[in-house]
C-alpha cells in the first residue's frame, strides 16, 4: 500500500508547514508503516536553526515519526471513520538522536506497533538517512473523535 500526499491529508489534520511526511511507501495493516520526507534547504526552519550550519531540528524528526505512525490506526479502520477520527499523541519516550539531518537528505521513517489496546497505540519509531539510523523513539497515541 502506498499513500501520496493527498491521501495522507485525508488521514492527518496537518498542513504545510506542519505536515512532515511526503509519502507513505509501505504499510502492513496495523503493524508497520514506512514513509519519507525530503529535507529541502528552502524550508524556513533553516533560517533560525543553526544559521550557516543547517541542521534539521530533532523535535521535527520526532513529529514526522509521530505523523507517520498516526497512519497505522487508520489502516485497520473502516473508511467511513476517517473523517470522524483524529490521532492525538500522549507521550514520547526513549528519544535518541544519533546523527544530524541536513538539507538534501531524504528522511525515512519506519514505525511499528509495539501493542495496541482499544484506542491506545504504543509505537516504536525510527528515522533513517541513507540507511543510517539518525533518531528513534517510543510513542503513545490515542484515537479520538474529532
Amino acid at each position: 500500500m502506498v499513500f501520496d500526499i493527498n491521501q495522507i491529508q485525508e488521514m492527518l489534520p496537518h498542513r504545510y508547514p506542519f505536515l512532515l511526511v511526503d509519502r507513505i511507501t509501505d504499510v502492513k495493516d496495523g503493524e508497520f508503516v514506512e514513509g519519507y520526507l525530503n529535507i529541502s534547504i528552502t524550508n524556513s526552519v533553516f533560517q533560525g536553526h543553526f544559521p550557516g550550519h543547517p541542521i534539521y531540528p530533532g523535535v521535527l524528526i520526532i513529529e514526522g515519526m509521530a505523523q507517520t505512525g498516526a497512519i497505522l490506526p487508520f489502516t485497520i479502520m473502516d473508511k467511513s471513520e476517517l473523517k470522524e477520527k483524529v490521532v492525538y499523541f500522549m507521550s514520547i519516550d526513549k528519544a535518541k538522536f544519533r546523527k544530524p539531518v541536513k538539507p538534501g537528505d531524504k528522511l525515512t521513517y519506519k514505525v511499528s506497533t509495539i501493542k495496541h489496546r482499544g484506542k491506545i497505540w504504543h509505537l516504536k519509531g525510527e528515522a533513517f538517512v541513507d540507511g543510517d539510523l539518525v533518531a528513534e523513539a517510543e510513542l503513545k497515541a490515542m484515537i479520538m473523535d474529532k
Side-chain angles (χ1 to χ4, degrees):
M1 219 183 292
V2 174
F3 299 128
D4 65 20
I5 194 68
N6 296 314
Q7 293 165 308
I8 293 167
Q9 289 180 334
E10 287 178 14
M11 292 179 260
L12 300 181
H14 305 80
R15 297 296 179 266
Y16 178 83
F18 293 106
L19 183 58
L20 301 176
V21 58
D22 290 334
R23 188 171 196 80
I24 298 298
T25 56
D26 192 16
V27 175
K28 186 170 183 182
D29 287 353
E31 294 180 29
F32 174 82
V33 62
E34 181 175 316
Y36 69 83
L37 175 69
N38 289 306
I39 307 298
S40 172
I41 190 63
T42 60
N43 189 316
S44 62
V45 72
F46 293 121
Q47 292 175 359
H49 196 259
F50 288 75
H53 181 70
I55 301 293
Y56 195 68
V59 68
L60 296 182
I61 296 171
I62 299 293
E63 175 63 20
M65 228 184 276
Q67 289 179 19
T68 302
I71 299 296
L72 280 169
F74 292 116
T75 65
I76 62 170
M77 277 186 206
D78 186 86
K79 298 271 186 236
S80 64
E81 292 183 288
L82 286 178
K83 295 193 183 311
E84 300 169 9
K85 303 290 183 184
V86 65
V87 178
Y88 290 121
F89 279 86
M90 302 165 50
S91 69
I92 300 167
D93 294 311
K94 301 179 185 173
K96 295 181 180 155
F97 303 98
R98 307 279 183 198
K99 293 184 176 185
V101 175
K102 302 174 190 164
D105 287 342
K106 181 178 181 178
L107 189 56
T108 301
Y109 304 116
K110 296 182 180 188
V111 183
S112 57
T113 301
I114 295 172
K115 69 178 180 177
H116 74 92
R117 182 176 297 148
K119 296 179 179 184
I120 308 292
W121 288 68
H122 187 184
L123 307 170
K124 168 70 176 174
E126 298 174 307
F128 298 86
V129 172
D130 295 329
D132 291 331
L133 182 66
V134 297
E136 60 186 312
E138 288 187 14
L139 310 161
K140 283 192 183 171
M142 179 183 285
I143 303 165
M144 302 287 293
D145 292 330
K146 285 187 180 175

